[in-house]
Structure formats: C-alpha cells, structure tokens
Amino acid sequence: MGQTLTGLLTSVRAIAGRPGTPAQGRPGGGPDQAPLAALRLCGDHLSALAAAGPLTDARRTRLIASIGALTTACSTPGADAFDALLRTGQQALDSGGEAEARLALALADEATALRARSKGAWRLRGNALDALGRGEEAITAYERHLALQQNTAASRDVERRIATLRAAGDRIDEALTLFRETARAGTETAGAGPEVSRAAARLSRHLPAAEARAAFTDLVRLRTAEHGAGDPAVRRLAALYAEHRRLSDRDPVADPLLGGAEPIGVPGLRRLVAGRTVCLVADTPRTAEQEQRPGSPLAALIEGYDLVVRCDEARHTAPAARTDLHACTLRGDTPWKGPRWDRRAGARLVFGDPLPYWRLALRSRLVPGAQDRVGDATLRRPLHDPALLGEEAGAGSASTAYTVLRLLDFLGTPARVDLIGFEGPAALSPREREWVGTRTANTDDTAVRITQR
C-alpha cells in the first residue's frame, strides 16, 4: 500500500498541481477547475496519510481507492468527475475520523460551488457539518437539500435529523432562559457567581457540539454545587442537560425504526438489573443440548435466574430459549449487513463504533417486535466511553461477554452475576479470564460466580 499511496499522490499532484501552481488538466481539453481544486485537497490528505505511516484501516484504504477513481475521472475526457467527487466525499465521511470529516466538508464545498442545485452535494455538506458537530450550519445545508429533493420518502431521514438538531439546540436555549429567570427572581445568592455566569455566557446552540456539551456540563456542575441537587431549578436544568445529551448521541426513534422498542441508557439498564440475579449463558453445543433436555439440572439452573443474558449470533441455542437480554458486538467493515436480530429478547444491547455505523446497523438489523428495549448510544462503547469505564482503545478487541461483564460490574447493582458454559471454544481470552479470576467468588461444574465490586 505504501507504493500505491505514493504513486497515487504523484498522479494527483501531476493532474491537480500544488497550491499556487497551474493544473495540467485533462488531455485534449482545459482543466475543469472545481474538480481539480477538490483533487488538490485530496492530494493534501494523501500526503498526510503517507506521513502517518503504514495503513491498517480498511475504511481509509477504501477512501484512497475512491480518490484514485476521482483522479481517473478528472483526467479522462467525458468522465463524470462530479459523481466521483461526491462518492469520494461520502467515503471520506464513512471513514469516521475528524480529518476525514474535514476533507468531506471541503469536497462538499467544492461540489456546491460547482453545482449549486445538486441535492447530493448539499446533503454531503450537511452530513459533514453534522459529523463535525456544527449542528446549526448542518441544518442550513440539510434544508437546501430538502428544497431540491422531490422524493418525500427519501428525505425522511434528513427531516428527522433536522428535528433532532433543533431539539438539542432548544434544550440549550431553555437552559439559558431558566438561568436568566432564576437570576431575575432573586434565587441566586447576591446574583450569579462569576464562574456560573461565565459558563452561561459560553453556552450557545451555535457552538460546536463538543464545546456546547462542555459548557453545559460546567453550568450544571456549578449550579448543583451552589444550590444542591434538590433545588427545583437545578433539577429542571439537569433534566434539560440529560435530554440534550440524549439528543446529541442519537436521533429520536420513530416507531418504524425500532418497532416500538423503548430506548434505554445507563440509568435504565441500572434499574433493569438492580437487585436481580444474572447469568451469562455461552452458545456451545454442550450447553444448548443440556438446556433443551427436559428436566436437566442445567435447564433448571438457568430458569432460576432473574435475567438470562446471551451474546452475539446464536448457532446452537434453541430459537425459543429464554433470553432476557441479548448483547452483540458489531464487527467487520460493513456491520449493518449482518443477519437481522430476529430472536426474541426483552432488551438488546448493541456495541459498536463509529456512531454512524452503529446507527445504520440498528436501522438495518433490528426486527420490529423482537425486543422491548434497545440500548441507546450511551451504551454502545462502554469499555472506552469516558463516561463509563474509559479504558484505552489499544488493548485489543474484547468479547461481547466480557463487555457485558465489565458493564454489569460498573453498574454494580445486580445481586449476583454468573457465567455458564464459558469453556472450550467459548472460553474468554487470557486477559479476560484474568479479570474474571480476580472477581470469582466460587466455581463449580456449571457456573462461575462473579463478585461485584
């Protein structure tokens, strides 16, 4: 890939030139300056990738291939460079990184300059701004897309996203209104403290999402410290903050999307497992055979737990086997193309990153009526989310069972957690077994009991 990347970069520079230099253009005709300006931006991105070292990310490899297609289109008479430009921008966005999102936005700007009435260009611009946390600008771009889009069905996702972004901004506006009203009503002690006033002055719906979230967090923290969590205004402010975080992490769920399932976050999951006995059952031939055998001790043991948890795709477990909580981890480059989750479960947790892939997987693979609750975006990466376990991502991939165990350990509310059948092919990795070993209360032939700490 190193030579391919270097060769492509050379071709891009030869066709598009460098900033401040004339472009070579297409053979037999003058250069189309807008695609070539976009191609120059791609060259800058390729240069940064080459300087970063060997490529191991398949998504970036696909982006490089897309840039190669754009390079060919820009140098081939009669080729449609505009469509290749949009495909490259979308592939940059699908790559998931901030630098790639900035590239997608730059390509979208070039595309809208080239064809101001292209609905695809305006949607790409909205998606790129959205990925960069610039919600108010994204709304403007999305609205331009809708004004050009004649297919109502194709625009529903965009309409829903606009509603989400506006609702998140409205929560900020309401929080600021609440702050000003309580100050005027004299509920502050000698007026708002300087730190609180500065936090309120920083907060705005026009801030990038990360900055708005940080300012909102500071405002809630300082108000709680001043007046206590029991103050009615503080409780209302905290509720607005929680709603803003929920809207920032995921779209409101329409019934056709999740089939009427209720989204649950960390508080909801904590309540679900509080005071209950939980078992994680491995999907192995031996466990499945014993569980299906009428009157077997293992079947009776599993039936005695309050919550039965199963992980990933069932290959051996009977379709009708009791599953109170199903957890799965998205893997591969296109996780939304996996088999649909049609086995009945009381609640379903889906672990995965990046967020756009996670959203697409839910929309593609959830089956209406197959679950009552679905974990929201706050539960999609518990091992690495700073709000939960916050571990470094470089420790290697984790099994779904291990992720569930760590999440339950973090919540700390189950009465008991047991592992059943995790031996042989279903055994945890050495690192995971070591963690379990430090918390094993007792072991017998059927179950390993985990002590919550």
Side-chain angles (χ1 to χ4, degrees):
M1 176 57 68
Q3 290 182 342
T4 303
L5 178 57
T6 303
L8 177 58
L9 180 56
T10 301
S11 298
V12 169
R13 295 303 191 199
I15 296 169
R18 297 176 182 273
T21 65
Q24 173 181 312
R26 298 184 180 187
D32 193 343
Q33 293 300 325
L36 293 179
L39 190 59
R40 188 178 294 123
L41 294 168
C42 292
D44 295 338
H45 189 74
L46 289 175
S47 181
L49 288 179
L55 286 175
T56 57
D57 190 332
R59 289 170 292 181
R60 287 182 174 174
T61 301
R62 288 195 294 272
L63 172 58
I64 292 170
S66 186
I67 293 174
L70 176 60
T71 305
T72 301
C74 285
S75 61
T76 303
D80 191 345
F82 186 79
D83 282 353
L85 171 60
L86 292 185
R87 286 193 296 270
T88 302
Q90 187 58 52
Q91 190 60 63
L93 202 56
D94 290 344
S95 296
E98 183 177 347
E100 285 74 17
R102 289 197 298 269
L103 173 63
L105 177 58
L107 296 181
D109 287 342
E110 296 295 340
T112 55
L114 180 61
R115 296 186 188 177
R117 295 188 58 79
S118 167
K119 59 181 180 290
W122 284 108
R123 179 159 188 174
L124 176 63
R125 190 172 197 275
N127 288 341
L129 288 165
D130 200 352
L132 291 168
R134 295 160 59 178
E136 295 298 311
E137 295 174 83
I139 289 174
T140 301
Y142 284 145
E143 288 176 334
R144 290 290 299 271
H145 165 80
L146 291 178
L148 297 165
Q149 175 63 268
Q150 302 300 315
N151 186 343
T152 304
S155 64
R156 285 172 185 158
D157 282 352
V158 176
E159 291 172 346
R160 186 162 48 243
R161 188 59 187 158
I162 289 175
T164 300
L165 293 170
R166 281 186 173 147
D170 290 345
R171 301 307 182 272
I172 291 178
D173 289 346
E174 189 174 345
L176 292 174
T177 300
L178 177 65
F179 174 78
R180 289 190 291 268
E181 288 177 349
T182 52
R184 283 197 300 269
T187 59
E188 306 285 353
T189 58
E195 277 193 284
V196 179
S197 297
R198 283 195 293 271
R202 289 201 316 273
L203 183 58
S204 167
R205 68 186 298 156
H206 298 285
L207 285 173
E211 295 179 30
R213 187 161 50 245
F216 208 159
T217 300
D218 286 344
L219 181 60
V220 173
R221 175 178 58 81
L222 293 167
R223 290 279 290 161
T224 303
E226 284 187 353
H227 299 284
D231 181 81
V234 171
R235 289 203 303 271
R236 178 57 186 155
L237 182 64
L240 290 170
Y241 172 75
E243 185 70 6
H244 177 265
R245 287 298 303 267
R246 184 184 67 80
L247 290 166
S248 298
D249 285 336
R250 60 174 176 81
D251 295 341
V253 178
D255 182 72
L257 187 61
L258 297 186
E262 173 192 356
I264 60 169
V266 174
L269 183 61
R270 182 178 279 116
R271 290 192 296 270
L272 179 66
V273 302
R276 309 182 80 180
T277 57
V278 181
C279 71
L280 276 71
V281 182
D283 179 44
T284 65
R286 178 174 177 271
T287 302
E289 187 274 329
Q290 292 187 36
E291 189 178 1
Q292 294 175 56
R293 188 188 308 158
S296 75
L298 182 63
L301 174 67
I302 293 174
E303 190 58 32
Y305 287 91
D306 297 320
L307 277 173
V308 177
V309 182
R310 302 183 194 271
C311 300
D312 297 318
E313 183 182 356
R315 292 180 172 83
H316 307 288
T317 305
R322 173 188 164 195
T323 304
D324 301 302
L325 192 153
H326 173 244
C328 59
T329 301
L330 301 178
R331 305 191 191 277
D333 296 331
T334 55
W336 56 87
K337 294 183 179 179
R340 303 193 76 191
W341 298 307
D342 54 1
R343 285 179 176 250
R344 185 76 179 98
R348 204 176 307 276
L349 301 181
V350 181
F351 305 131
D353 214 22
L355 181 58
Y357 284 24
W358 179 85
R359 283 176 173 154
L360 184 55
L362 260 62
R363 291 171 180 172
S364 303
R365 299 177 64 181
L366 284 173
V367 175
Q371 57 280 311
D372 301 319
R373 303 178 181 89
V374 177
D376 66 16
T378 63
L379 289 167
R380 68 185 175 87
R381 50 192 298 267
L383 293 182
H384 309 307
D385 190 334
L388 298 175
L389 293 166
E391 293 185 349
E392 293 294 330
S397 62
S399 69
T400 304
Y402 179 69
T403 302
V404 172
L405 284 173
R406 294 297 306 275
L407 180 57
L408 293 175
D409 185 65
F410 171 81
L411 296 175
T413 55
R416 195 172 84 227
V417 178
D418 291 353
L419 291 172
I420 296 177
F422 284 86
E423 69 273 336
L428 302 175
S429 70
R431 177 176 68 93
E432 295 171 350
R433 288 200 303 272
E434 181 181 359
W435 183 89
V436 170
T438 63
R439 286 161 172 78
T440 299
N442 69 288
T443 304
D444 56 31
D445 291 340
T446 54
V448 176
R449 185 157 300 168
I450 308 300
T451 301
Q452 299 294 305
R453 296 183 177 179

